[in-house]
Amino acid sequence: MGIMREILLHGSRSRWLADQLTQREFTRRAVARFMPGEEMSAALDASESLRQKGMTTILTLLGENVTELEEADAVAQHYLGVLERVSELKLDTDISTKPTHLGLDLGFDQTLQRYRTLVQRASELGRLVAIDMEDSSYVDRTIELFRQLRADHDNVVLCLQAYLYRTTSDLVTLLPLSPGIRLVKGAYNEPRNIAYRRKADVDESFLRLTNSLLDELVGNGGQAFFGTHDPRMISAVRQRAEKAGLPKDAYEFQMLYGIRRDAQAQLAADGYRVRVLISYGNAWFPWFMRRLAERPANLTFLARNLLRG
Ligand code: FDA
């Protein structure tokens, strides 16, 4: 892992740095590249614009590791409101949620209950609820949340991270559930005894897992979502799917708002399913630092905004 990535991921957990940077106008201007606004309405407007370009969306309210039960309840309420609004506007928009935003640090059972309410309502409205994967200390509990929800509902999606060694065997144990899986490389700072740290190794793992998803999941009742901006990964997914005789709409590419917009539009124009994940809310600091860590070249972008005053 590059030293800059390590510094940025370390910084993402610093409250002091968050206090310093979130006040600054130049940071806010740089953040605007990755999110259409802090309000839900901005994310819905962006969904409508993307719809006109042939793309669908996922909304996520920024935030993680809540420390009060009331906060977790409010987050669940917020997402229920999003589902209603999406339905009123007739948008093809799902939601993506972090377990610690819904209270996982405060207790498993209540978090599961909040998820049950959300997944039930989403099911009635024909929408999916995705469960993000956070750092490795949450993986067991996140998979257990998914298992329990999947027992009653098929509109729930689990994110798995290719950088973790364990993901290969996690996927094997999950396949019999015909799950919905979003495969990503992984965005946290994990030690080498549990995770690949070289990009080449993470990429290899992503490709192996892609093959399993396309060969063993799609076509057997499960759904595969590929959360990546990497042109190499995207073209490997396409080639493998073609080889397996899968139509373009048998799986989905997912990318983050503002990242490789050209590639998003091109894939959609080529007939692939493209869903853009739009983040909003005011708790954007750790999330923004993870985006910078993915591509430290984005720091020049921050610097340019700094120079603009
Ligand atoms: P990689 O980081 O190798 O980048 C490949 C290329 O993509 C770069 O060369 C550049 O061209 C472009 N690119 C990538 N990131 C960029 C950026 N920030 N700015 C500009 N260009 C960029 N992670 C996690 O741990 N848990 C989760 O739940 C999720 N959920 C999730 C959902 C969705 C829809 C997406 C797209 C991603 C996630 N992630 C995630 C993040 C994921 O783990 C990963 O960190 C990023 O997707 C970056 O990895 P890439 O596969 O894009 O490749």
Side-chain angles (χ1 to χ4, degrees), residues 58 159-160 162 181-186 199 202-203 206-207 210 224-238 251-257 259-261 263-264 267 273-277 294:
I58 315 174
C159 180
L160 290 180
I181 299 288
R182 174 206 293 155
L183 180 64
V184 301
K185 291 190 186 177
K199 176 173 161 57
V202 178
D203 287 359
F206 189 99
L207 295 176
T210 291
F225 308 92
F226 297 95
T228 182
H229 315 91
D230 189 335
R232 229 186 108 229
M233 300 302 111
I234 292 169
S235 104
V237 170
R238 291 168 61 166
Y251 56 96
E252 185 169 280
F253 289 111
Q254 301 190 338
M255 298 194 212
L256 304 180
Y257 179 88
I259 298 184
R260 298 205 63 222
R261 290 172 197 234
Q264 297 175 7
L267 279 169
R273 281 165 54 196
V274 178
R275 200 172 282 276
V276 177
L277 191 148
E294 277 153 14

